[in-house]
Amino acid sequence: MTPGDMSALYRSLPNIDEILGADGIADVIATGELPRDLVLRCAREELEALRSAIAQGKRSEPVVLDEVTASVRAAVAAAQQPSLRRVINATGIVIHTNLGRSVLPESALEEVIATSQGYTNLEYDIAAGERGHRGDHVESLICEITGAEAALAVNNNAAAVLLTLAALAAGKKTIVSRGQLVEIGGSFRIPDIMAASGTVMVEVGTTNKTHLSDYAHAVGDRTGLLFKAHTSNYQLVGFTEEVSLVDLVALGAERGVPVVEDLGSGVLLDLSAYGLPAEPTVQESLAVGADVVTFSGDKLLGGPQAGIICGKRSVLARLRSHPLARALRLDKMTLAALEATLRLYRDPATAVNLIPTLRALTMPMERCRQQAEQLAAALREAADSSGLGPALNLEVCGEMSLAGGGSLPGAEIPTAVVALATEKVSTAALEQRLRALPVPVVARVHEERLLFDVRTLSDDDIELLVPELATLFAELAG
């Protein structure tokens, strides 16, 4: 490209005033439909991108005003989209960390809205007419359900562990098995949390085997805690041995050292009754005498992100008075959602039916198959109506779902999926187009087919999914 050609391309660029005054831009700015400052920023960015393309020899055609205004309007529309958006989870991973973990129960959503529309008694004791404590809204419920003497809720389980270690063992030693130095996504690693809390970590045993005598030999005058981390996100199998919580509590009582168990996922119901692997419940850990038990609110509990600390009243009092307790406290919306979710646990059958996470995990295979057949029929009808039918390969298959979120490690849950592929476009391209839909769809790819796992698709999801795919089918057929 000659210098003269480049100069001609630069001269073809419209100026800012031309863009702001163009049809489809000026009128919507005048009506307030589009913020002028946002349009101005997007116009400048578009012009800068075009100049860069010309300078790098990537642009050989003159720039047309309509082209620029279309790009600016698209950029403005994209900028006005919320960054945090609803997506449809068709992966079959129920507690999908990247997709927000647990979906809240309907009653929790109602409470969040109710407490967000006006003032609340967040830290006000209505009966006494004086200042109250925000933790009171969930403490009695947690104690009622778990049998704990006292409870405290903070931002997440990492915060719960950090506060517990800092309040009970800062400047002292915390004894933990080498086989329990877990890492749970996002760089939550037990050694790092211990270092940040100010306690000195003392590792005992080996990766695969730790004995009670290992703990006993390590206890000394500066021991602040005996710490047990439940390996909720992986399994250690083969030639292994770990110390039971019962034995650890007995040792702690003998030596006068508190025992803390981090349960991670936070199971409040016996899920083995529904064909899922047995996991230690919070109630069981407290019943055998653990001084403190910590767990997540948004994993198997099925509520909002929270870290729940429960245990003995005298020990929890030390946590409440620690400066970190205020820094890690919950906001009113999370407290409202957590309280509403916990209330459902007063009746286990109600909890399983109304908490989406539990409902998805315990859905019978027959129900999965029925829902998959219904979804497949709706998609076949949409494909036939669009003219894509002959080019669409669609069938219902048996597959496996996962709990996800660092819960129920190794457990594969039988499910039914709708498998889809088309000769019109590659599976990778189709998966990308699904993520570009108005309500993005996240599915999984297996053997050059897209799988839609009904275990993680609610009725509302399917109502959104079918019309979106019908539109996509029509585009592909065209």
Side-chain angles (χ1 to χ4, degrees):
M1 183 184 299
T2 67
D5 292 334
M6 291 186 67
S7 295
L9 291 177
Y10 283 124
R11 286 195 300 273
S12 72
L13 290 170
N15 59 44
I16 289 292
D17 290 337
E18 288 177 303
I19 297 172
L20 297 181
D23 291 341
I25 297 286
D27 51 344
V28 290
I29 290 177
T31 61
E33 182 182 336
L34 295 181
R36 185 182 187 281
D37 288 347
L38 178 58
V39 176
L40 182 60
R41 175 171 68 80
C42 291
R44 286 172 173 163
E45 290 174 354
E46 176 63 18
L47 289 176
E48 183 57 35
L50 288 168
R51 291 190 189 98
S52 177
I54 294 170
Q56 296 175 31
K58 297 178 180 179
R59 177 84 190 202
S60 58
E61 298 293 328
V63 178
V64 180
L65 179 60
D66 287 348
E67 170 195 353
V68 177
T69 57
S71 295
V72 170
R73 283 184 63 88
V76 171
Q80 290 182 304
Q81 282 282 345
S83 177
L84 187 61
R85 302 163 59 191
R86 176 177 178 173
V87 303
I88 294 174
N89 175 15
T91 66
I93 301 173
V94 178
I95 309 169
H96 200 308
T97 297
N98 302 131
L99 302 183
R101 289 189 177 167
S102 286
V103 176
L104 290 179
E106 189 66 32
S107 59
L109 296 174
E110 292 170 357
E111 289 298 322
V112 170
I113 294 171
T115 56
S116 303
Q117 290 179 324
Y119 294 102
T120 69
N121 62 328
L122 177 63
E123 292 187 359
Y124 181 70
D125 186 328
I126 295 174
E130 59 187 29
R131 181 169 184 166
H133 302 281
R134 69 176 62 200
D136 292 347
H137 300 292
V138 295
E139 181 177 18
S140 61
L141 263 174
I142 296 170
C143 293
E144 174 190 336
I145 294 164
T146 66
E149 294 179 6
L152 179 65
V154 292
N155 180 257
N156 60 15
N157 192 45
V161 174
L162 176 64
L163 173 59
T164 301
L165 292 170
L168 303 181
K172 298 181 180 180
K173 296 179 179 181
T174 295
I175 302 173
V176 60
S177 167
R178 285 189 175 88
Q180 296 170 8
L181 298 180
V182 300
E183 175 176 340
I184 297 176
S187 299
F188 170 71
R189 309 175 76 186
I190 291 295
D192 296 340
I193 294 295
M194 287 201 179
S197 72
T199 192
V200 178
M201 183 177 72
V202 177
E203 303 173 41
V204 296
T206 63
T207 302
N208 62 317
K209 278 203 169 195
T210 302
H211 305 282
L212 184 61
S213 58
D214 295 322
Y215 288 94
H217 292 152
V219 174
D221 293 340
R222 293 188 60 234
T223 301
L225 285 179
L226 298 178
F227 187 87
K228 182 177 177 65
H230 176 54
T231 54
S232 60
N233 69 335
Y234 72 97
Q235 288 180 312
L236 197 61
V237 297
F239 189 59
T240 66
E241 184 176 337
E242 67 173 292
V243 178
S244 70
L245 182 61
V246 174
D247 289 340
L248 208 56
V249 166
L251 176 63
E254 177 188 329
R255 302 294 184 90
V257 180
V259 176
V260 172
E261 182 172 38
D262 170 23
L263 277 179
S265 296
V267 184
L268 296 179
L269 298 177
D270 180 9
L271 297 178
S272 64
Y274 300 92
L276 297 168
E279 283 280 286
T281 66
V282 176
Q283 294 93 322
E284 290 168 346
S285 293
L286 291 169
V288 300
D291 294 275
V292 175
V293 176
T294 68
F295 54 98
S296 294
D298 57 350
K299 292 186 178 181
L300 291 175
L301 190 146
Q305 176 182 301
I308 300 173
I309 311 168
C310 53
K312 296 181 179 176
R313 187 174 292 105
S314 59
V315 180
L316 266 290
R318 295 168 62 184
L319 272 65
R320 292 183 211 282
S321 62
H322 194 279
L324 275 177
R326 181 177 177 85
L328 301 174
R329 68 184 185 177
L330 292 178
D331 69 284
K332 63 183 179 183
M333 290 182 287
T334 306
L335 280 169
L338 181 58
E339 181 185 1
T341 305
L342 288 168
R343 279 202 302 267
L344 298 174
Y345 276 94
R346 283 174 163 159
D347 177 40
T350 298
V352 170
N353 288 331
L354 297 185
I355 296 176
T357 294
L358 296 182
R359 187 170 61 235
L361 287 171
T362 60
M363 186 190 302
M365 180 60 184
E366 311 85 71
R367 178 60 179 156
C368 290
R369 172 70 65 173
Q370 181 184 24
Q371 287 195 309
E373 293 288 358
Q374 292 172 351
L375 175 59
L379 293 182
R380 284 191 189 99
E381 182 179 351
D384 291 340
S385 298
S386 69
L388 184 67
L392 187 68
N393 181 351
L394 189 153
E395 65 176 320
V396 173
C397 312
E399 259 291 341
M400 293 291 177
S401 299
L402 298 174
S407 305
L408 305 181
E412 293 187 327
I413 309 168
T415 189
V417 302
V418 177
L420 184 152
T422 175
E423 61 191 36
K424 292 283 187 177
V425 65
S426 70
T427 301
L430 183 58
E431 188 271 340
Q432 185 175 6
R433 293 188 71 167
L434 287 175
R435 288 188 281 107
L437 289 169
V439 181
V441 179
V442 183
R444 71 181 193 257
V445 177
H446 180 65
E447 295 181 351
E448 293 304 313
R449 295 192 299 177
L450 277 178
L451 304 185
F452 298 85
D453 192 326
V454 295
R455 192 171 288 281
T456 51
L457 291 175
S458 67
D459 292 341
D460 288 344
D461 288 333
I462 292 174
E463 286 183 10
L464 291 170
L465 176 65
V466 173
E468 284 198 317
L469 287 184
T471 301
L472 179 57
F473 291 163
E475 292 175 4
L476 294 173

